[in-house]
Amino acid sequence: MRRKLVIGNWKMNGSCAGNSALLAGIIAGLGKVGADCAVCAPAPFLAQCRAELTGTPVAWGGQDVSPKQNGAYTGEVAGCMLAEFGCRYVLVGHSERRAYHLESNELVAQKALAALASGLTPVVCVGETEAQRDAGQGVAVVTAQLGAVLAVLGADDVANIVVSYEPVWAIGTGKTATPQQAQDVHKILRAQLAQKNAEAAAGVQILYGGSMKPENAKELMAMPDIDGGLIGGAALKAVDFLAIIHAAE
Ligand code: PEP
């Protein structure tokens, strides 16, 4: 049985004081939690996450990682740096990185490799745009995105990744895939993982992201291949984030 995983993606939001209040609220309301949970914070706040989350059930992670280990890459953050600040996870290939920073499937694959090399769990984000979905290309797009990552991973690496299906048309829009729509894609993604490593694929946490909220989280996570959520907007309010974590238990 896979444990559920709920990750908050803070995107480019937060301040030292605001983060402290948010994290304190999450920790206070968590109780004995039966699911994995984490927040992915902007890089400058990772030291704060380490200071305020160490010893709690909440893990933390970055939102992006360089494919390089070190060197003359101004503005980039290396996997070893994230690891040094205690990160467990790092998002790779979030649709906002793909759209605004023109990240290709191949670059995302290199980022996943770099994360693994630093002992981090890459959360490999895949998802189709509304236009791609309307053109009947949704499955081809997401399987090409995941396929590029699987092409560079060793079979043993499959056990060490998380996948997040995030239809771009559902991110920050209030539109959500129906549980069945999401499940159909998750099942395809798990079958694709199984082609690389059948045993590991059965244990990979495949998250859904895209306007997941307290009101729809339980229904989505009740589907057999939906193992949790990657949460944007609702992760910025302790009460909403907590409700989603508790819906995952
Ligand atoms: C996201 O950014 O990964 C996301 C799912 O955002 P939202 O929950 O706001 O749609």
Side-chain angles (χ1 to χ4, degrees):
M1 185 63 187
R2 293 179 295 274
R3 265 172 82 84
K4 297 273 197 264
L5 168 63
V6 177
I7 299 181
N9 172 16
W10 288 359
K11 310 195 186 199
M12 198 174 74
N13 293 296
S15 64
C16 290
N19 301 343
S20 276
L22 176 58
L23 293 176
I26 294 168
I27 294 162
L30 211 48
K32 202 166 173 289
V33 67
D36 296 333
C37 58
V39 294
C40 285
F45 296 134
L46 292 171
Q48 182 184 19
C49 288
R50 179 174 61 174
E52 298 185 16
L53 294 174
T54 297
T56 77
V58 185
W60 59 97
Q63 297 177 2
D64 184 34
V65 64
S66 172
K68 306 290 185 187
Q69 295 300 320
N70 64 276
Y73 302 104
T74 302
E76 295 283 279
V77 176
C80 60
M81 298 172 187
L82 298 175
E84 201 171 348
F85 281 88
C87 289
R88 172 156 175 203
Y89 299 100
V90 63
L91 308 182
V92 296
H94 190 278
S95 62
E96 288 151 15
R97 301 285 321 167
R98 293 181 190 264
Y100 306 142
H101 300 271
L102 306 181
E103 292 194 5
S104 65
N105 291 350
E106 291 67 33
L107 177 61
V108 172
Q110 292 305 316
K111 290 183 173 204
L113 267 187
L116 287 165
S118 294
L120 303 165
T121 299
V123 179
V124 179
C125 302
V126 301
E128 80 285 4
T129 64
E130 190 151 36
Q132 289 165 335
R133 184 178 72 133
D134 290 347
Q137 296 166 348
V139 167
V141 167
V142 298
T143 53
Q145 290 171 338
L146 182 58
V149 174
L150 292 177
V152 301
L153 295 191
D156 290 349
D157 293 327
V158 174
N160 298 318
I161 69 170
V162 168
V163 176
S164 186
Y165 170 53
E166 300 204 297
V168 180
W169 48 270
I171 295 183
T173 59
K175 293 185 202 169
T176 318
T178 66
Q180 192 58 54
Q181 277 175 331
Q183 165 60 25
D184 290 347
V185 177
H186 283 226
K187 192 174 171 191
I188 289 166
L189 295 174
R190 194 176 307 285
Q192 191 180 8
L193 292 165
Q195 284 171 9
K196 187 89 185 182
N197 182 335
E199 199 185 333
V204 173
Q205 291 164 314
I206 305 182
L207 314 183
Y208 169 79
S211 300
M212 195 186 267
K213 311 181 266 286
E215 303 82 66
N216 59 21
K218 206 168 185 78
E219 237 195 326
L220 283 157
M221 291 191 280
M223 302 308 282
D225 288 293
I226 302 184
D227 306 311
L230 181 56
I231 319 300
L236 298 175
K237 276 197 206 149
V239 63
D240 288 351
F241 192 53
L242 282 166
I244 296 172
I245 295 170
H246 290 308
E249 294 175 305

